[in-house]
């Protein structure tokens, strides 16, 4: 029997691993850590708050700002909304994670 037909080229495995590593790195740079659209985050917050009362106004800053809570660092959008509670307008300010759209902070502002 001839074993020469059953052997792999010694460069096949390292070249394949190297190429897949480079492809993974480039895909991560192209598709990873994409920002969550600020308008979509505001729409979600408005939807969640609307179940508790009528929303009379809202806003969101489209510029990301650094945000840190304990050891977790991320970027966040800052926004606010006004909702009617017992017939009175109540203002809220919030911060939303710029990459996941998750609510990070919510404050009820006193008038």
């Amino acid at each position: 029997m001839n074993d020469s037909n059953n052997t792999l080229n010694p460069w096949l495995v390292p070249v394949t691993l190297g190429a897949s590593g480079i492809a993974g790195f480039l895909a991560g740079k192209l598709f990873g850590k994409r920002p969550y659209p600020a308008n979509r985050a505001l729409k979600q917050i408005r939807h969640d708050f609307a179940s508790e009362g009528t929303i009379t106004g809202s806003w969101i800053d489209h510029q990301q700002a650094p945000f840190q809570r304990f050891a977790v660092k991320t970027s966040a959008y800052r926004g606010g909304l006004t909702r009617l509670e017992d017939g009175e307008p109540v203002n809220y300010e919030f911060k939303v994670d710029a990459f996941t759209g998750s609510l990070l902070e919510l404050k009820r502002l006193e008038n």
Side-chain angles (χ1 to χ4, degrees), residues 12-109:
L12 183 62
V13 173
V15 169
T16 303
L17 289 175
S20 64
I22 291 170
F25 174 77
L26 292 175
K29 286 293 184 185
L30 289 174
F31 301 112
K33 279 276 199 179
R34 285 195 163 184
Y36 193 83
N39 288 337
R40 189 182 303 165
L42 180 61
K43 185 177 179 180
Q44 183 62 44
I45 297 289
R46 285 181 56 94
H47 177 267
D48 293 344
F49 267 74
S51 63
E52 301 284 327
T54 303
I55 300 204
T56 59
S58 63
W59 62 274
I60 193 162
D61 186 0
H62 289 256
Q63 295 294 322
Q64 298 176 17
F67 180 85
Q68 182 174 355
R69 170 81 37 103
F70 307 112
V72 177
K73 295 179 183 178
T74 188
S75 293
Y77 299 120
R78 195 176 71 114
L81 59 84
T82 303
R83 179 174 72 182
L84 290 178
E85 294 178 4
D86 297 326
E88 297 292 321
V90 177
N91 296 312
Y92 291 88
E93 191 173 272
F94 60 83
K95 291 187 180 172
V96 177
D97 189 303
F99 298 105
T100 65
S102 300
L103 186 65
L104 297 171
E105 187 175 83
L106 178 66
K107 293 181 189 175
R108 181 179 173 158
L109 304 176

